[in-house]
Amino acid sequence: MHLWKRLTRPFRHAPHGRVLRLSPPESLLLGFTLLCLLGSGLLMLPGAATQPLAWHQALFTATSAITVTGLAVMDTSSFTTLGQVILLVLIQIGGLGFMTFGALTLLLLGARLPLQQQTLVREALGETSFGALSQLVRMVVTFALVVEALGTVLLALHWVPELGWSRGLWASLFHAVSAFNNAGFSLWPDSLTRDAGNPLVTLVVSGLFIVGGLGFVVISDVREKRRWGRFSMQTKVVLCATLAVNLVAMLALGCLEWHNPATLGGLESLGDKLQAAWFQAVTPRTAGFNSVDTAAMTDASSLLTMLLMFIGGGASSTASGIKLTTFIVLILVARAFLRGTQPAAFGRSISQQTVMKAIAVALSGVALVFVTLLVLTITDSRQTFLDLAFESVSAFGTVGLSRGITEELSSPGQWMLILTMLLGRVGPLSLGYFLATRRTGGMRYAEGHIQIG
């Protein structure tokens, strides 16, 4: 009740004016919720869609866009240019974060960020120093716009000759912004399957969402220090883990799908198969584009894809999931336990607080996926368990990959996915904030023993 009162009445009166009394995670959740409602209202405008749009369809689409997921109950081609522009704006805001845009606006006006808003942006971007906050926010937006512009130009080299100047440039801009923000929205009903063998499209789009999924703190570190030896521990972990996970996933998916005539086996040349294997290996973290039919993949490939979607991308990035750094910390902890040593990487030990935070984030992710899957098995029991599990993990990781059942889900099932997408985007960040700002009690208990395993 106290939380509900704060959410419905977020401001309190003070001698010097109104003060926001919400914590940063509560502000983040409220902001995303309001943006979802605003986006759904805009999509309901008469000229936004080419067909009648129900309220829950508009809300599902707006939530999927603002949480940069990509799950859809109707094709993006069903929206007019106005509707697609609305989706693109929602994707950009959701990818970079509404708090970053708000901070940038104040900075451009020459205003100083209030302490509460500084905390919100600092937690969202993973920055611990208030002094570097303004510079980091400017770098985030500038870097995003430059990379998206470069991606648009490169994609236009293929789509402008094919579609003409207006349609080709719009398709290039839309896919570049969607890819960098790890949204997964495409203007084509079959996503990028038509360009599965086109190296320009597959490499540019995959490059965009990989860069967007590294994390802005990593990008800033690389930009400033430029040498491996000077990089922070997080930067080294994210770069090495990204390369390793992508290569292992490509090798595994390539082996599992090589002779599947509905996926890689249906492609003509060796180069086409390798490109499609690469694309399908990197897109689950957490871009949502696909260059082969996801529903036609083998059960083993679907299970591996679910693992990649659950892991997600780098911290403070446009991607979601439990985050790659969380996954690596869990692996390092397990390895250290088996060796009887302290968890460490690149000559640096990992603190107990970081370990506990990783465990809490991963366990929360498992719990959310389990609850979502449990609800879907009740509301949509006619669907196969694998399809429902795939949908649940995709919604949590805000990936957007689907085995083709999103539109077929019941209204309660789609409402559950709306909630999961929202919590999957905001939840890990909120949990990290509460763990980072928790208070230590004055009383300590004697240690007890609980048998594990």
Side-chain angles (χ1 to χ4, degrees), residues 172-231:
S172 302
L173 174 63
F174 189 94
H175 287 87
V177 174
S178 181
F180 179 79
N181 290 286
N182 279 245
F185 278 90
S186 174
L187 295 180
W188 327 129
D190 57 352
S191 191
L192 298 179
T193 55
R194 64 180 65 188
D195 294 306
N198 189 311
L200 178 62
V201 174
T202 55
L203 292 179
V204 170
V205 172
S206 62
L208 285 170
F209 60 66
I210 288 175
V211 171
L214 289 176
F216 295 119
V217 175
V218 173
I219 294 172
S220 177
D221 195 35
V222 172
R223 174 176 170 271
E224 292 177 1
K225 299 179 180 177
R226 301 178 184 273
R227 289 191 299 177
W228 179 262
R230 299 174 60 187
F231 290 162

Side-chain angles (χ1 to χ4, degrees), residues 387-402:
D387 289 348
L388 294 177
F390 196 94
E391 204 82 3
S392 301
V393 179
S394 181
F396 162 74
T398 68
V399 180
L401 290 176
S402 174

Side-chain angles (χ1 to χ4, degrees), residues 16-83:
H16 302 287
R18 294 193 304 171
V19 178
L20 185 66
R21 57 183 176 183
L22 295 176
S23 68
E26 292 168 351
S27 302
L28 193 63
L29 178 59
L30 180 61
F32 266 93
T33 302
L34 293 177
L35 285 171
C36 291
L37 295 175
L38 175 61
S40 60
L42 293 175
L43 291 176
M44 290 289 290
L45 292 175
T50 59
Q51 62 188 53
L53 193 64
W55 170 253
H56 78 276
Q57 290 178 312
L59 181 60
F60 189 100
T61 305
T63 304
S64 183
I66 202 66
T67 59
V68 292
T69 302
L71 289 175
V73 292
M74 56 188 301
D75 292 333
T76 309
S77 57
S78 301
F79 292 94
T80 63
T81 302
L82 172 62

Side-chain angles (χ1 to χ4, degrees), residues 190 192-193 196 262-264 267 276-277 279-280 290-295 297:
D190 57 352
L192 298 179
T193 55
T263 56
L264 299 186
L267 300 177
F279 197 87
Q280 288 302 123
N290 59 284
S291 58
V292 298
D293 186 3
T294 306
M297 293 194 307

Side-chain angles (χ1 to χ4, degrees), residues 277-328:
W278 163 257
F279 197 87
Q280 288 302 123
V282 298
T283 192
R285 306 181 38 247
T286 55
F289 294 100
N290 59 284
S291 58
V292 298
D293 186 3
T294 306
M297 293 194 307
T298 63
D299 291 352
S301 297
S302 298
L303 184 61
L304 177 60
T305 301
M306 289 166 60
L307 173 62
L308 296 173
M309 292 192 297
F310 184 77
I311 294 173
S316 69
S317 71
T318 58
S320 295
I322 64 170
K323 300 299 171 49
L324 183 61
T325 46
T326 302
F327 178 69
I328 296 301

Side-chain angles (χ1 to χ4, degrees), residues 5-14 16-31 34 98-99 114-121 433:
K5 183 179 179 180
R6 293 205 310 273
L7 290 176
T8 54
R9 300 177 62 184
F11 293 97
R12 63 179 175 86
H13 293 283
H16 302 287
R18 294 193 304 171
V19 178
L20 185 66
R21 57 183 176 183
L22 295 176
S23 68
E26 292 168 351
S27 302
L28 193 63
L29 178 59
L30 180 61
L34 293 177
F98 79 94
M99 77 297 293
L115 183 61
Q116 184 82 352
Q117 279 67 34
Q118 288 190 28
T119 304
L120 182 62
V121 180
Y433 171 82

